Amino acid sequence: MKYTSLRSCWTLLALGASVLSPMAFGQEVYRDTTKSLEVRVNDLLGKLTLEEKVGLIHASSKFSTAGVPRLHIPPLWMSDGPHGVREEIGPDTWNPAGRTDDFSTAVPVGINLAATWDPEMGKLSGTTIGQEALVRNKNIMLGPGVNIMRTPLNGRNFEYLGEDPFLAGQMAVGFIEGEQSQGIAACVKHFAANNQETQRNSINVEMDDRTLHEIYLPAFKAAVKQGNVLSVMGAYNRFRGVYCCENPFLLNTLLKGEWGFKGLVMSDWGGAHSTEGSVRGGLDLEMGTNGPYEKNYLANPFIEGLKSGIYPMSLLDEKVSRVLRVLIATHAVDTKPTGSINTRQHQMNARKVAEEGIVLLKNDHDILPIDDSKVHSIAVIGRVATQKVAYGGQSSGIKAFYEVPILEGLLNRFGSKVTVSYSPGYPEIKRPRKGTQKPSVSDSDKALIDQAVKSARQSEIAIVVVGLNHNYDTESSDRPDMKLPAGQDELVSRVLAANPKTIVVLSSGSPVEMGRWLYRVPALVECWYGGMEAGNAVARVLAGDVNPSGKLPCTFPQKLEDTPTAAFNSYPGENGTETYLEGLLVGYRWYDAKKIQPLFPFGFGLSYTKFDYSGISVVQDTLPSQVVLQVANSGPKDGEEVVQVYVHPLNPSVPRPPQELKAFKKIMLSSGEKKSVALNLPANALAYYEPSRKCWVIEKGTYEILVGSSSRDIRLRQTVTIGSTMLVQD
Ligand code: GLC
């Protein structure tokens, strides 16, 4: 992990100047960067009083601990979130502090990052945020969010990394490595099974062990064991009857025990519920509990319990050591790196991630890219083209230094050569109040559509921008359905009838239904919520300056009724409990098993060029360890392709999904270029989790290694045989 190398270079520096070592000046051991992290932690722990220790394990403001003023140790400062450094809040309320010096870079949202299928883009986002967090004096950034997209309706799908545990895990690792390379702690969240916003503070989640280990834990496990994440945020919900922030099975047995996690576990804000549960259930840092901070569960009540002998001091020291580990690892007691904020480089990083995550879903007759030397008029239609969304969505919202909406981006790119008109096309995208009738298309709406149709008819090309915003894709509530609101379907249909050269740009944080007009649309791109440079990214893709290379990190089902949670009626739960009856069959696992045709499958995305696959071979000793193939760019443009590897067990003795993603790689190929691609397979690529033995098992038998451009576009396949069943230590 880059951060380790940063620490090792500190050591080299110090060793080189050992005669001038910090100790030569009588500096405290815990401040001495030539000493190991553990030595420094134990030295500082030994210097703290009981009250000072307790001041480090609960909030003393909305986003900080108390620090240790006597030793000149600053508070540990936290900030949201996964999309940039949030504006200053509070300090003791949820209101913005109203400052003018807390604008920052808004990188694309999590689902946009996942759609890049490139952990290097995670690193780019993480590094950008880490550098800005240093300037804003933060120690911990509260992200990435990795909760699996179990239902398309989850309000926070936009923040997370899609429906597949392996993809989500690898993208999270890139992000974490980037952020922590800057000396900032990442915080993977929300652990665990926080897959909906409905009743998020209380819902009890039940699921079988295979579903837990094969679907809902792997992304967190990768963050810990591969990404070395320094902190984990417990989820609000309950798991098997116990609140996640005080759940000994999740926090002590799994996270700290089996996975060997050495960082700190913080509660989600208000996620702690008792002193006994927090103390013994594995919580290290209590955040967001309402009321006076000294009355926090891990504050005075804990002190009383320690003094009366209910709790041994070792329980306190274990928690404090974890907090000190993060505090020291983030340079709170030595020299912090300087960082940078709102730089042009950061803004270009945001644009790069946005571009890499744009998914070309349709391009009939190569209507895209738009050649601005041949096209003279473009009608841009749809209010989504003018909306700014970086600030929305609640905790992950960013007060961006600036934000380029889609229309502005199109004007920037085409405006000097092409006549670009704009019409709103539909009313503001607002959420109808619960219980109110969904407004049918009103007269004023019809007028908006008529105006849009007229502009489409008078232009060579129409670009209809549809989608959602944070009235729908938001923390604290789920979407009521998968439909496009505000009469957008009617608009698209009417514009298509007026101008067959219509391109649809969809900006959403999760799948939407499009069946009413999709078959008639010649071109469609999904651009998610692309951060502060979103508009420029979209325009550059539509103009062909960038060849789209994004792939769907989630299935786009035809309709809500096709989803697994609809089939089992297992969402949003009953009587406060939500049982994941669909088990392993989440996302493409479900649609494959039930042979349901989605609108667009997991891993799907087109390009302006063409890629051919050939010559598969599998390197196998006892287990298959690598897949090698050739990929050629046989099309007219340079471009990137995401090669995907799925494993398909033939005749398994236990129920298993038809195929599961186990490796992927994004490669750049010039037009006409052909190259050999090698993808490493993880040791447990063929394994399933065996609850009776609490371990992973690779069963004797045959498996197909499938290689493709999407989960439903398999180009090559090879069978491998495992001679005897084995257990896998992962
Ligand atoms: C919120 C969110 C969490 C966020 C925290 C602090 O409730 O669930 O993701 O980091 O509180 O804002």
Side-chain angles (χ1 to χ4, degrees):
M1 179 182 81
K2 270 205 186 138
Y3 181 51
T4 306
S5 62
L6 180 68
R7 198 168 60 220
S8 57
C9 85
W10 274 108
T11 306
L12 287 173
L13 270 176
L15 289 178
S18 56
V19 288
L20 300 176
S21 79
M23 291 307 292
F25 300 107
Q27 195 172 25
E28 300 284 0
V29 167
Y30 66 83
R31 294 184 187 277
D32 181 351
T33 54
T34 69
K35 295 290 183 287
S36 74
L37 184 59
E38 293 315 306
V39 165
R40 298 173 68 188
V41 167
N42 291 329
D43 177 62
L44 182 48
L45 182 69
K47 291 175 164 53
L48 301 176
T49 65
L50 171 66
E51 285 71 15
E52 287 169 340
K53 288 178 181 176
V54 172
L56 289 170
I57 62 170
H58 66 82
S60 288
S61 84
K62 264 284 179 283
F63 284 93
S64 71
T65 65
V68 185
R70 175 178 63 87
L71 298 177
H72 308 296
I73 291 170
L76 197 62
W77 279 99
M78 290 145 262
S79 168
D80 292 306
H83 308 147
V85 186
R86 187 180 180 183
E87 66 179 334
E88 294 304 324
I89 297 288
D92 296 320
T93 71
W94 276 112
N95 304 323
R99 300 204 359 205
T100 56
D101 61 350
D102 55 358
F103 291 89
S104 59
T105 297
V107 301
V109 299
I111 195 79
N112 188 141
L113 172 60
T116 70
W117 284 63
D118 185 353
E120 287 303 310
M121 291 299 106
K123 214 165 274 186
L124 196 59
S125 278
T127 300
T128 300
I129 296 171
Q131 290 173 350
E132 303 212 345
L134 287 168
V135 173
R136 291 277 298 280
N137 189 33
K138 310 301 179 186
N139 301 86
I140 305 177
M141 286 304 297
L142 304 172
V146 301
N147 294 102
I148 292 298
M149 187 187 293
R150 172 177 179 252
T151 166
L153 303 183
N154 179 8
R156 292 184 85 167
N157 282 330
F158 77 98
E159 271 190 72
Y160 302 152
L161 302 170
E163 72 188 29
D164 181 80
F166 183 75
L167 175 64
Q170 296 310 299
M171 296 310 296
V173 166
F175 185 95
I176 290 160
E177 289 180 337
E179 209 159 63
Q180 297 190 167
S181 72
Q182 303 306 308
I184 294 291
C187 180
V188 67
K189 65 187 187 181
H190 306 82
F191 190 62
N194 180 190
N195 304 99
Q196 66 187 54
E197 289 300 288
T198 304
Q199 296 177 9
R200 68 170 179 167
N201 295 90
S202 60
I203 194 86
N204 175 39
V205 175
E206 299 284 350
M207 69 178 85
D208 66 86
D209 274 344
R210 283 196 63 198
T211 300
L212 176 66
H213 286 271
E214 296 185 36
I215 302 294
Y216 295 99
L217 289 181
F220 289 101
K221 191 173 185 180
V224 170
K225 298 190 75 170
Q226 202 181 330
N228 298 305
V229 72
L230 285 168
S231 67
V232 173
M233 184 186 294
Y236 279 128
N237 52 282
R238 287 178 289 150
F239 178 70
R240 293 179 180 167
V242 180
Y243 281 106
C244 287
C245 293
E246 39 195 62
N247 192 304
F249 168 66
L250 288 177
L251 304 183
N252 292 334
T253 306
L254 273 181
L255 180 63
K256 297 177 179 179
E258 288 183 22
W259 301 356
F261 177 62
K262 297 292 180 215
L264 70 83
V265 176
M266 69 174 77
S267 68
D268 198 341
W269 268 238
H273 291 270
S274 70
T275 297
E276 177 68 11
S278 299
V279 171
R280 299 193 191 278
L283 187 67
D284 302 308
L285 175 55
E286 176 186 0
M287 296 305 294
T289 304
N290 288 328
Y293 297 115
E294 65 277 6
K295 291 190 183 305
N296 274 198
Y297 299 109
L298 288 183
N300 288 355
F302 187 25
I303 291 176
E304 286 157 25
L306 288 160
K307 287 182 174 173
S308 63
I310 296 173
Y311 305 117
M313 282 297 171
S314 58
L315 274 181
L316 170 62
D317 287 350
E318 209 273 334
K319 299 178 194 297
V320 176
S321 296
R322 289 174 179 272
V323 174
L324 292 180
R325 207 163 281 138
V326 177
L327 193 131
I328 291 173
T330 57
H331 305 285
V333 294
D334 56 66
T335 311
K336 267 194 174 200
T338 47
S340 57
I341 194 162
N342 295 322
T343 63
R344 191 64 189 143
Q345 184 57 58
H346 287 177
Q347 291 145 13
M348 290 301 95
N349 292 349
R351 190 181 77 179
K352 176 69 175 171
V353 176
E355 289 167 352
E356 292 286 311
I358 289 173
V359 184
L360 179 60
L361 293 170
K362 279 193 83 175
N363 191 22
D364 296 347
H365 324 303
D366 293 337
I367 184 176
L368 284 174
I370 298 169
D371 182 344
D372 61 359
S373 67
K374 293 175 182 159
V375 170
H376 304 96
S377 58
I378 296 174
V380 178
I381 297 163
R383 278 184 203 276
V384 166
T386 61
Q387 64 183 18
K388 295 187 176 184
V389 291
Y391 191 76
Q394 292 188 21
S395 67
S396 67
I398 298 301
K399 189 162 84 172
F401 193 63
Y402 63 80
E403 184 174 351
V404 180
I406 294 168
L407 174 63
E408 185 180 333
L410 292 169
L411 287 167
N412 290 343
R413 180 59 184 77
F414 292 99
S416 61
K417 294 186 178 176
V418 179
T419 303
V420 179
S421 65
Y422 168 71
S423 45
Y426 42 82
E428 290 288 339
I429 296 178
K430 292 196 175 87
R431 194 81 175 257
R433 280 188 311 285
K434 271 195 190 318
T436 57
Q437 281 305 316
K438 266 180 149 338
S440 60
V441 182
S442 66
D443 291 346
S444 61
D445 299 353
K446 288 196 177 84
L448 288 173
I449 293 177
D450 292 345
Q451 179 202 10
V453 167
K454 184 179 174 196
S455 70
R457 195 174 285 123
Q458 291 168 346
S459 301
E460 287 172 70
I461 286 182
I463 297 177
V464 182
V465 185
V466 297
L468 304 170
N469 58 27
H470 292 302
N471 290 322
Y472 285 83
D473 287 320
T474 183
E475 182 178 337
S476 303
S477 70
D478 293 336
R479 288 194 292 160
D481 52 44
M482 275 177 48
K483 302 188 184 316
L484 283 173
Q488 296 180 60
D489 289 323
E490 175 71 11
L491 170 75
V492 175
S493 301
R494 291 275 309 278
V495 168
L496 266 167
N499 186 337
K501 282 194 170 182
T502 292
I503 295 154
V504 175
V505 174
L506 170 62
S507 176
S508 67
S510 46
V512 296
E513 291 175 6
M514 300 180 267
R516 179 168 158 190
W517 43 264
L518 181 62
Y519 64 99
R520 286 184 288 130
V521 164
L524 169 67
V525 296
E526 168 66 82
C527 68
W528 317 105
Y529 302 130
M532 66 196 298
E533 279 281 332
N536 289 328
V538 169
R540 283 160 50 85
V541 166
L542 295 186
D545 303 341
V546 173
N547 187 352
S549 61
K551 298 280 187 177
L552 291 181
C554 56
T555 305
F556 274 49
Q558 297 205 33
K559 54 190 183 304
L560 187 60
E561 294 70 24
D562 289 351
T563 60
T565 43
F568 284 93
N569 192 25
S570 57
Y571 161 83
E574 281 180 352
N575 305 322
T577 289
E578 165 93 65
T579 304
Y580 288 12
L581 295 172
E582 72 284 349
L584 301 168
L585 299 182
V586 174
Y588 65 93
R589 291 167 167 82
W590 166 259
Y591 304 107
D592 292 347
K594 301 302 176 186
K595 296 184 174 28
I596 295 171
Q597 186 59 38
L599 276 187
F600 298 102
F602 175 78
F604 179 82
L606 300 174
S607 171
Y608 292 150
T609 192
K610 185 172 175 294
F611 298 103
D612 302 321
Y613 290 46
S614 62
I616 184 173
S617 64
V618 176
V619 176
Q620 178 172 359
D621 183 359
T622 314
L623 295 171
S625 59
Q626 196 174 67
V627 184
V628 183
L629 65 142
Q630 278 70 50
V631 181
N633 177 347
S634 56
K637 283 181 173 287
D638 300 351
E640 291 173 290
E641 169 68 328
V642 179
V643 179
Q644 301 160 44
V645 178
Y646 296 83
V647 168
H648 167 47
L650 300 173
N651 312 314
S653 67
V654 297
R656 297 190 67 176
Q659 60 178 357
E660 297 182 287
L661 179 73
K662 295 298 177 184
F664 62 89
K665 184 175 278 187
K666 191 167 207 177
I667 56 170
M668 165 57 85
L669 284 169
S670 305
S671 174
E673 185 183 6
K674 179 174 185 175
K675 67 167 72 166
S676 177
V677 188
L679 300 99
N680 294 327
L681 286 172
N684 66 355
L686 308 184
Y688 71 91
Y689 184 77
E690 174 47 63
S692 62
R693 292 196 264 190
K694 293 188 187 304
C695 69
W696 292 79
V697 173
I698 295 178
E699 198 172 25
K700 173 183 176 185
T702 51
Y703 301 77
E704 269 195 320
I705 306 294
L706 309 172
V707 181
S709 187
S710 91
S711 61
R712 296 262 176 129
D713 179 6
I714 300 302
R715 307 284 183 84
L716 303 169
R717 56 186 70 221
Q718 169 122 357
T719 302
V720 297
T721 301
I722 302 299
S724 57
T725 295
M726 59 189 85
L727 307 187
V728 181
Q729 296 308 327
D730 59 293

